[in-house]
């Protein structure tokens, strides 16, 4: 289900600077082995069509792997349709190292792309190399994170919206009363602080709900499993756990402790959704995370910028919220380690741009059909 009645707007400069680290969700963890993916064409343009390059800070989790897979599928189709001449994806080695990504981008710039898409390892360290790209005439689109680079276009999700849709549907699902555990993300990061502040404000609107424990789950199922398991013996009955896409691990903690699984915020991948479905957890649980389909939206943004179209410098796109009524459709469409992604076509992207400009209702892309 898509969030409703929220004007997805161009993010303010203050909000951009506040979102210092994406590690609160999809950007944390992973080994980050080097992996290059290209269409096999030689370096440089092809037949006068644009060359699109994507630099990814690391590849070591399922969200990032889904993000790259979605981009490559869309880019290959765009090449077949004659919209681009070539594309290339390069994943920086290491564990989200900005230094390695800077070197990677410099290497890409030597190949003279027309547009450069970046999922950044740092909101600040890439600024000089991004400015270098802009100075050489390359269109730069940063997605999935804020960036301290005025020349770049930025496309991202809202952490406030992520926290809102992780808390409100769950609290409504438990009837607005009971006991909850709050599982925090990467404590110390600006996104986590913003998400925690939002969660506290929402809890303040539910006087019948008591927070019985707060743990640090890092928006990671395995970490959250250990953290929650560590407090279960000291808390009373728990009706819900408010997290940021760590519900599969949280559910495992309750199962290990021999306790009923409460309402949780599941990951949006096929494994978590299938677990939710197969175990008939019908208690107000939701699944919510940022959208790995941002990479495809960034592709369409780059092409429109190359075409000279008016695109806002900073845009906020919808998160992925899955409530029980849409759970089975998503579960049938996803592989175990694949994350739910909005299927952004060029037309849907342009509709969303207009919604951002006008402050209107966000576009609601369809749920992808089950895989054959």
């Amino acid at each position: 289900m898509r969030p409703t009645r929220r004007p997805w707007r161009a993010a303010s400069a203050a909000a951009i600077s506040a979102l210092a680290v994406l590690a609160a969700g999809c950007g944390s963890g992973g080994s980050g082995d080097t992996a290059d993916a290209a269409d096999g064409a030689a370096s440089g343009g092809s037949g006068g069509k644009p060359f699109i390059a994507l630099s990814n800070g690391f590849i070591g989790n399922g969200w990032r792997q889904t993000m790259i897979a979605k981009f490559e599928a869309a880019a290959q189709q765009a090449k077949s349709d004659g919209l681009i001449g070539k594309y290339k994806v390069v994943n920086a080695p290491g564990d989200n190292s900005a230094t390695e990504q800077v070197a990677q981008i410099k290497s890409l710039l030597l190949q003279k792309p027309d547009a450069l898409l970046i999922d950044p390892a740092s909101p600040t360290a890439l600024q000089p190399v991004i400015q270098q790209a802009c100075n050489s005439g390359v269109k730069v689109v940063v997605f999935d994170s804020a960036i301290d680079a005025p020349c770049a276009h930025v496309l991202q999700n809202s952490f406030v919206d992520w926290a809102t849709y992780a808390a409100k549907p769950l609290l409504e699902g438990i009837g607005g009363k009971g006991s909850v555990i709050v599982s925090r993300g990467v404590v110390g990061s600006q996104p986590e602080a913003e998400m925690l502040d939002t969660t506290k404000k929402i809890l303040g609107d539910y006087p019948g709900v008591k927070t019985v424990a707060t743990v640090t789950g890092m928006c990671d199922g395995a970490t959250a499993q250990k953290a929650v398991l560590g407090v279960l013996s000291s808390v009373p009955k728990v009706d819900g756990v408010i997290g940021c896409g760590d519900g599969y691990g949280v559910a495992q903690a309750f199962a290990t402790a021999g306790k009923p699984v409460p309402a949780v915020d599941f990951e949006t991948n096929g494994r978590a959704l299938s677990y939710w479905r197969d175990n008939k957890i019908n208690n107000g649980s939701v699944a919510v995370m940022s959208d790995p389909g941002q990479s495809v939206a960034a592709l369409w943004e780059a092409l429109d910028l190359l075409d000279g179209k008016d695109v806002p410098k900073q845009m906020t796109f919808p998160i992925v919220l899955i409530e029980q009524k849409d759970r089975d459709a998503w579960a049938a469409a996803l592989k175990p380690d694949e994350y739910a992604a909005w299927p952004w076509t060029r037309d849907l992207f342009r509709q969303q741009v207009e919604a951002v400009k006008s402050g209107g209702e966000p576009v609601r892309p369809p749920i992808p059909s089950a895989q054959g």
Side-chain angles (χ1 to χ4, degrees):
M1 177 179 177
R2 276 65 65 196
T4 57
R5 297 182 178 174
R6 177 152 186 101
W8 300 89
R9 60 214 176 276
S12 67
I16 291 295
S17 63
L19 302 179
V21 185
L22 189 70
C26 56
S28 59
S31 59
D33 291 338
T34 302
D36 292 318
D39 64 350
S43 297
S46 176
K49 302 293 184 180
F51 167 25
I52 310 295
L54 189 155
S55 167
N56 177 38
F58 72 94
I59 193 63
N61 65 25
W63 192 98
R64 289 291 179 117
Q65 292 159 16
T66 299
M67 179 271 288
I68 292 298
K70 295 300 182 183
F71 170 80
E72 290 181 333
Q76 183 59 47
Q77 186 61 53
K79 182 175 181 293
S80 297
D81 292 341
L83 298 176
I84 65 175
K86 177 187 176 183
Y87 67 91
K88 183 169 187 176
V89 175
V90 185
N91 300 297
D95 188 10
N96 208 34
S97 168
T99 300
E100 290 170 337
Q101 190 173 23
V102 168
Q104 170 202 83
I105 292 173
K106 288 182 177 180
S107 178
L108 277 174
L109 292 178
L110 293 175
Q111 300 174 46
K112 301 187 182 302
D114 297 288
L116 175 63
L117 315 184
I118 303 175
D119 194 337
S122 165
T124 56
L126 272 61
Q127 196 277 336
V129 75
I130 288 176
Q131 189 62 54
Q132 177 186 340
C134 293
N135 290 345
S136 65
V138 177
K139 298 295 185 183
V140 179
V141 179
V142 174
F143 65 97
D144 185 34
S145 177
I147 197 73
D148 182 16
C151 71
H153 282 70
V154 178
L155 189 160
Q156 64 179 19
N157 295 136
S158 163
F159 294 107
V160 169
D161 292 317
W162 186 346
T164 297
Y165 291 105
K168 275 193 173 181
L170 185 148
L171 293 172
E172 290 294 324
I174 65 174
K177 58 184 179 181
S179 299
V180 300
I181 294 173
V182 174
S183 178
R184 297 179 61 177
V186 182
V187 176
S189 69
Q190 281 296 324
E192 197 282 327
E194 191 170 5
M195 292 177 77
L196 180 64
D197 183 61
T198 301
T199 301
K200 288 180 175 179
K201 288 178 180 177
I202 292 170
L203 283 167
D205 295 331
Y206 292 83
V209 176
K210 180 182 179 182
T211 301
V212 295
T214 299
V215 300
T216 300
M218 301 289 286
C219 298
D220 173 75
T223 304
Q225 180 178 350
K226 294 177 183 178
V228 170
L229 191 58
V231 301
L232 284 184
S233 62
S234 61
V235 298
K237 177 179 180 291
V238 177
D239 300 288
V241 179
I242 300 172
C244 52
D246 52 13
Y248 183 73
V250 171
Q252 299 299 313
F254 278 85
T256 299
K259 295 188 175 186
V261 176
V264 299
D265 291 314
F266 281 108
E267 299 87 330
T268 55
N269 62 30
R271 178 175 291 102
L273 296 179
S274 296
Y275 176 89
W276 177 13
R277 176 197 62 200
D278 297 344
N279 287 275
K280 299 179 172 58
I281 302 172
N282 303 324
N283 56 5
S285 292
V286 297
V288 58
M289 291 191 79
S290 56
D291 175 21
Q294 289 175 70
S295 59
V296 178
L299 169 64
W300 302 135
E301 180 169 3
L303 291 180
D304 276 0
L305 289 172
L306 290 170
D307 285 345
K309 296 189 180 298
D310 177 28
V311 182
K313 215 54 182 303
Q314 297 161 349
M315 293 192 294
T316 304
F317 266 42
I319 58 168
V320 177
L321 171 66
I322 303 173
E323 293 186 298
Q324 186 173 314
K325 68 184 184 65
D326 294 325
R327 176 196 62 198
D328 294 357
W330 275 110
L334 299 173
K335 298 174 183 176
D337 293 320
E338 181 183 6
Y339 281 73
W342 293 130
W344 293 106
T345 63
R346 197 173 194 183
D347 181 61
L348 286 173
F349 167 79
R350 288 175 174 172
Q351 290 179 41
Q352 180 62 13
V353 169
E354 292 307 311
V356 169
K357 288 180 179 179
S358 66
E361 290 291 322
V363 171
R364 293 169 177 78
I367 297 173
S369 59
Q371 299 176 6

